[in-house]
Amino acid sequence: MTDLNAYHYFEKSLGPFRNLSSLSNEEAETVTQQIRDQGRNFASQRSADYMTIRRALEHKAYEQFKGKGGTPTNPYPHYMTLGACEWLSSWYTEPDQVIISWEDLSAEVVSFTYGDLFPTMRYSDDKPYRKQIYTKDEILEIIQAYGWPQEWNRLGDQGPERYIEVQVWDERVIRTYR
């Protein structure tokens, strides 16, 4: 796999780049509870403390990215995958996707985790890519060393990493795709 494009998967009827983190705590909890109550997709399985954990992990990622020279303009990211990940389409009743080219991902406002932010930052084992945020240059080295999770863990039976996640920390990058 050599697809360095960023993919954002979403429910077609709702549109792309709808972000729970952009909402107040109360609004985010209301939406999250509605998703749980509907029980139609993968997101309905999220725990009651999902938003608390998410906000803490996003803050940690934000601080790590800034520490590596990133200049995020949002306190929270929009999420994408590096390379296609068909498994994510299964999260939605009527899936759709937005694709942003590697060249349009500004290194100053884009970070990466080897795997989804949640398990990457929380899972404790001896894998060196855990609890790490990577820059655009660094993620290429990680891919060279460990490959594409979309290929070696297609079924999710070899650990929590199913894709490389892209965190976009600037509205300007995604504005034209809304």
Side-chain angles (χ1 to χ4, degrees):
M1 181 174 199
T2 57
D3 183 0
L4 293 176
N5 292 319
Y7 291 74
H8 174 69
Y9 297 90
F10 59 94
E11 189 66 50
K12 189 173 188 169
S13 64
L14 297 176
F17 297 109
R18 295 174 52 97
N19 195 320
L20 286 169
S21 297
S22 70
L23 304 174
S24 70
N25 288 336
E26 296 78 23
E27 292 170 319
E29 186 48 45
T30 298
V31 171
T32 302
Q33 189 58 50
Q34 289 171 346
I35 293 169
R36 277 191 218 101
D37 291 345
Q38 291 170 354
R40 290 190 311 219
N41 57 34
F42 187 84
S44 68
Q45 301 171 33
R46 292 176 175 154
S47 66
D49 59 352
Y50 170 77
M51 283 307 301
T52 301
I53 295 167
R54 176 175 168 154
R55 290 186 195 279
L57 293 176
E58 288 175 341
H59 179 72
K60 183 177 183 175
Y62 176 91
E63 292 298 325
Q64 272 193 35
F65 185 47
K66 278 181 52 178
K68 290 187 171 201
T71 54
T73 61
N74 277 358
Y76 58 85
H78 288 282
Y79 296 99
M80 303 185 78
T81 65
L82 189 61
C85 180
E86 290 306 313
W87 173 66
L88 286 178
S89 290
S90 72
W91 289 22
Y92 303 100
T93 305
E94 190 179 352
D96 204 352
Q97 65 187 18
V98 166
I99 303 171
I100 301 176
S101 73
W102 176 259
E103 293 77 23
D104 290 337
L105 298 173
S106 173
E108 293 78 25
V109 296
V110 177
S111 63
F112 302 83
T113 48
Y114 194 78
D116 184 275
L117 184 69
F118 260 65
T120 295
M121 296 305 231
R122 299 176 73 206
Y123 204 82
S124 293
D125 60 17
D126 59 352
K127 294 182 179 174
Y129 48 78
R130 296 277 188 244
K131 301 182 183 359
Q132 300 293 317
I133 292 294
Y134 295 103
T135 65
K136 197 171 176 182
D137 288 336
E138 290 172 332
I139 198 63
L140 296 175
E141 296 172 18
I142 296 300
I143 294 167
Q144 185 69 31
Y146 300 103
W148 292 87
Q150 294 99 308
E151 290 180 352
W152 63 260
N153 196 22
R154 189 174 309 276
L155 300 177
D157 57 350
Q158 297 184 53
E161 48 283 279
R162 298 283 297 263
Y163 50 84
I164 296 167
E165 187 173 84
V166 182
Q167 297 93 30
V168 180
W169 298 93
D170 189 330
E171 295 293 324
R172 291 173 295 181
V173 175
I174 55 98
R175 189 171 290 137
T176 59
Y177 300 96
R178 277 205 166 124

